[in-house]
Every structure is written in C-alpha cells, then in structure tokens.
Amino acid sequence: MKIAFVSPFPPSKVTLNEYGYHLIKSFKDKPEVDEIVVLTNHLENNEAYGEYAIEGIELIPCWRFDSWTAFLNIRKEIKKQKPDVVIFNLQFMTFGEGKIPAALGLLTPLAVKTLGIPSIVLLHNITETVQLENIGMADSKLKAGLFLWIGEQLTKLLLQADLLGLTISKYVDIIREKYKAENVTLLPHGNFELPERSFLPNPLKEINLMAFGKFGTYKKVEVMLDAVKILEQRFPNLKFKATVAGTDNPNVKGYLDEVEKRYADMKNVDFTGYVREEDVEGIFKASTFIIFPYTTTTGSSGILHQAGSYARACILPKIDDLERVVEEEGYGGAYFQTDNAESMANAIAPLIENPAEREKLENMNYEAAKGLQMTELADMYLRHIQNLRQKKISKKSKNEKFDQSYSGTFVSTVQTVNEL
C-alpha cells in the first residue's frame, strides 16, 4: 500500500509540523505499508528537510504556505504519485495565515476526491467550539458570524473526504448532529514516543514555569509572568523562572517583542524563540510546571501529551473542552480561572508547598502518556483505510454489474426498435 500524507513537516514552522512528524513516522514499519510520501510545504531552502529525513519516507515539497493555488499543486502531485490513499493532517489555518489562501487550501480533499482516491482528513479543530475573536479571526459579532458561516461551508467541503476524523469525542457528536454526517469518526490525538523519564530534584533548586506554542491570540503569556511575580512575593526564599517557548501567532506579529519590552524589569524570563524538534525534550525537562495560558481552545492539545511524556504537572485554565480532554485521556492538573494571574498563582502554590501533590500529577500524566501510542493510532488508521478500500471495490463491482445490465437492456431495446 502506498500512502500519501498532506501535512507540514519539520523544520517547517507551519502549525502541526511536529504532530505530522510523529504521526507519519509511526506508519513506517507497518507491514501493510510499502511506500510513504509526504506532500509538504516549500521552505526557503528545501534542502533543510534533509535534517529530518526518515528512511522509507519521501518528502516532496509541492505547495507554498499562503498560496492561492496550493490545492491545485497538491492535486497535481497526487495525480502523479498515484497513492492508494491520502491522509490529511489539518487545521483551518494549515495552508495560510491569510483567510483566502487558508480557505482555498481546504478545497484540497475535494480536489483529491475528483481523482477517485480514498482520503482521510484528520481535523484538529472545528469552528463551532472556537471563540473566533480570541484567535484573531474576528473583532466584532458581525465578523464572527460571517466567519462561522464560512467555517460551516469549509466543514462541508472537508466532509467530502471519505472519512473525517476528529480528536475529541464531543467534536464528533457536534459534527454528526449539525451536518447529519455519517463519515465522521473519533481519531484520538495519540501520544508521542516516551523518552526516558527524568525526575525533578528534591528539593527544587528552581521553579520554572513554561508555556509552549504560538502566542498572542488565545495564548497570552502576561498571565504567567504576572503569576511569577505573585509567587515570588509569597515564596521569597525560592528561585523562580518563566520560560516562553515559541513564537508569535501569525495573526499577531510583534506580540512577544512587545511583551518582552513591557516586562523588561523581569530578569528571570527566557524568551526562547522558535523551538526546533530536537530541542523540545530539553525545554520540557528543564520545566517544573507546564502552563496553559489559554483563553479558549482549538482542539486537542499536543502540549498536554508532551507534558505527559516528560512527566510534568500541568497548570490549566478552566475551559470546558480542555477539561474534557484532560479527563477523557487520563491526565491531571491544577486549574485556574482564565486570564487570572492570582488564580494561577493559587493553583501553583499548593504544589510548591506539598511536593507530593506535584509528584502525584507528574506520575498521573506520565501514566496517561503510556496510553494510545502513535503506533497503535497508525493501526487504527490502517483499519479505516482497509474499510474504505473494500467499500470502493464493492461500489466498483456494483457499478460494473449495473453497467453490464444497462448495456444488455440498451442492446435489447435497439434490437426491438430495429425489428419494428
């Protein structure tokens, strides 16, 4: 079987690149899989992909981020590659930060459908549960309503794939009910490879609060920095540090530079910039608490799963979708009121005062990370692919029988007409 993935891939900085790397790699040694090609976006220098090359996986840069023609370029390459199935690793802004190229890119599953090749779309977020104004997509109710309508139309296009997979069970229920869709299923996020566990020193020499991601829209780091100031006052004998690991969200360029200027008095803040795949482990292991400074969510959190892999306690906002994911997948954390530094400090303080409670969360998250591994998730995909291929064969057989029956009826009718 030849599988084509449409996905960002490191060192691309397009969202979901790290997830794509781990998901695609998990298919490599499956006996059912003969060949894997990854249709990814062009870099300034495509040779940079060589640093992340994996034997048995061919990387083909064939589309550009923010291009209006990405879907046509991908269709052309898929037509050339002739895979047995196409798997898309997507969220609504995968193909561009501009609204038009982002939307046009989501035509790709429909474009692939015209080739008659089975396809699976893994969609990491849905517009029905996202507060658009918090992610830089709408600054008024009118715009929010318009983009919600556009999101609905794009969802309908994505449902043209043979199977639409969602990472959260609630999302599956919403899409099935709203769109009366039957080709929707749960494809969980899955857990990354478990590194050798590292334990924090006891007692702690430094308490490092770390937030990871793209900041400025629904992830804002001021709440974490203010919480550090509060904790320093409460625990004057302890050493604190804040790590902001990541870059600006494309919709809010310059955000982190402004934050760094406003908090210039804090000498214990590390703004790391973009974190390369090989540096992720060090960032997490150097952290005491993984902070989620979210005001809304856009799907299942890869950061949550990474926190579990590195056995770190999570400090989480009380947001319904995020709490649901945490509970469903067996993770744990301390909760704070959204965008409230005092509340965040109150969530962290008991874990500082009682290290056993912190260690309990660390153990809980590490055990949760042992759950559904990526290799098991790949098996789930392969079962779905087998079902899709069988349906295609069955449909083709029925069509051939219909064509033969229709042809016979047509010939018989012509003969009768001739006799008359």
Side-chain angles (χ1 to χ4, degrees):
M1 181 194 306
K2 180 176 182 178
I3 301 178
F5 285 89
V6 177
S7 173
F9 199 90
S12 166
K13 295 182 181 180
V14 177
T15 302
L16 299 179
N17 61 336
E18 294 95 348
Y19 184 83
Y21 173 82
H22 290 283
L23 175 66
I24 294 165
K25 188 170 65 171
S26 69
F27 283 77
K28 188 175 75 73
D29 296 321
K30 298 298 180 182
E32 305 96 320
V33 180
D34 303 306
E35 190 176 352
I36 297 174
V37 294
V38 183
L39 310 187
T40 190
N41 63 295
H42 285 288
L43 306 176
E44 289 185 10
N45 177 13
N46 286 331
E47 292 182 1
Y49 278 119
E51 187 177 349
Y52 294 89
I54 301 172
E55 185 178 354
I57 297 176
E58 183 181 3
L59 297 175
I60 305 175
C62 67
W63 55 277
R64 295 189 183 279
F65 186 74
D66 248 352
S67 167
W68 288 32
T69 61
F71 72 101
L72 295 174
N73 296 330
I74 295 170
R75 184 188 185 278
K76 181 179 179 181
E77 188 62 38
I78 288 175
K79 187 176 181 180
K80 176 183 174 182
Q81 293 293 327
K82 296 181 174 61
D84 295 297
V85 66
V86 181
I87 299 176
F88 295 88
N89 173 39
L90 303 179
Q91 51 107 325
F92 279 94
M93 303 299 286
T94 292
F95 294 102
E97 63 183 19
K99 298 174 180 63
I100 293 176
L104 288 174
L106 297 178
L107 288 170
T108 312
L110 179 60
V112 169
K113 186 175 184 177
T114 64
L115 298 175
I117 300 172
S119 62
I120 297 175
V121 170
L122 174 63
L123 184 61
H124 289 258
N125 56 3
I126 61 174
T127 56
E128 284 76 8
T129 61
V130 176
Q131 296 177 21
L132 295 171
E133 65 276 12
N134 287 338
I135 63 170
M137 290 295 292
D139 54 12
S140 69
K141 288 186 178 180
L142 180 62
K143 285 187 178 180
L146 174 61
F147 286 123
L148 179 58
W149 180 84
I150 293 172
E152 290 171 350
Q153 309 318 305
L154 294 175
T155 300
K156 291 176 183 178
L157 288 175
L158 293 174
L159 282 166
Q160 295 302 307
D162 293 279
L163 187 66
L164 178 67
L166 300 166
T167 58
I168 300 176
S169 59
K170 178 184 174 182
Y171 291 4
V172 175
D173 294 337
I174 290 171
I175 299 301
R176 280 180 179 169
E177 182 177 348
K178 181 172 181 177
Y179 298 92
K180 310 303 178 188
E182 297 181 359
N183 61 327
V184 183
T185 192
L186 177 65
L187 287 173
H189 184 284
N191 292 302
F192 302 142
E193 296 173 0
L194 278 176
E196 182 179 351
R197 182 170 178 180
S198 66
F199 293 85
L200 290 169
N202 192 11
L204 292 170
K205 297 179 181 178
E206 180 180 70
I207 298 170
N208 183 4
L209 280 62
M210 190 273 283
F212 193 104
K214 293 186 177 181
F215 303 99
T217 54
Y218 70 97
K219 295 182 184 180
K220 294 189 176 182
V221 298
E222 292 94 332
V223 64
M224 179 178 75
L225 302 184
D226 290 338
V228 168
K229 291 183 177 181
I230 295 170
L231 290 169
E232 286 177 323
Q233 293 177 351
R234 291 190 190 179
F235 302 95
N237 297 325
L238 297 180
K239 184 179 179 182
F240 288 89
K241 177 183 177 180
T243 301
V244 180
T247 59
D248 294 329
N249 183 289
N251 290 314
V252 197
K253 291 180 179 178
Y255 164 75
L256 288 177
D257 285 341
E258 288 298 318
V259 171
E260 192 168 359
K261 290 176 184 176
R262 280 190 282 125
Y263 287 82
D265 61 308
M266 290 184 69
K267 306 304 179 185
N268 55 341
V269 183
D270 181 14
F271 291 87
T272 70
Y274 177 72
V275 181
R276 294 162 59 86
E277 179 66 28
E278 60 268 28
D279 297 328
V280 169
E281 181 172 349
I283 289 286
F284 274 87
K285 285 186 174 180
S287 304
T288 311
F289 300 107
I290 310 303
I291 309 298
F292 293 70
Y294 302 177
T295 55
T296 186
T297 58
T298 60
S300 184
S301 172
I303 312 304
L304 174 68
H305 294 82
Q306 286 178 304
S309 297
Y310 297 107
R312 293 296 181 262
C314 298
I315 310 301
L316 303 151
K318 291 187 69 63
I319 298 173
D320 180 59
D321 282 357
L322 189 57
E323 287 188 77
R324 185 186 299 268
V325 171
V326 170
E327 292 173 5
E328 282 186 0
E329 301 190 12
Y331 291 87
Y335 288 92
F336 66 96
Q337 295 297 325
T338 304
D339 207 22
N340 186 322
E342 188 79 29
S343 178
M344 181 184 289
N346 290 340
I348 295 171
L351 302 180
I352 294 174
E353 294 167 338
N354 188 350
E357 285 300 310
R358 188 200 76 236
E359 292 169 5
K360 180 180 176 181
L361 290 176
E362 292 168 352
N363 294 334
M364 183 178 184
N365 290 341
Y366 190 70
E367 287 302 312
K370 293 179 182 178
L372 181 65
Q373 297 297 305
M374 282 291 187
T375 53
E376 297 174 66
L377 184 60
D379 290 331
M380 187 181 296
Y381 276 86
L382 291 170
R383 287 193 293 271
H384 283 300
I385 291 170
Q386 187 61 31
N387 289 336
L388 292 178
R389 296 180 75 187
Q390 287 177 350
K391 287 180 181 178
K392 184 179 179 182
I393 293 170
S394 176
K395 185 177 180 180
K396 183 178 179 182
S397 177
K398 287 180 181 179
N399 287 340
E400 287 175 349
K401 288 180 181 179
F402 174 79
D403 290 342
Q404 292 171 359
S405 174
Y406 180 81
S407 177
T409 302
F410 179 76
V411 171
S412 176
T413 301
V414 170
Q415 289 174 343
T416 301
V417 170
N418 286 336
E419 289 174 1
L420 292 173

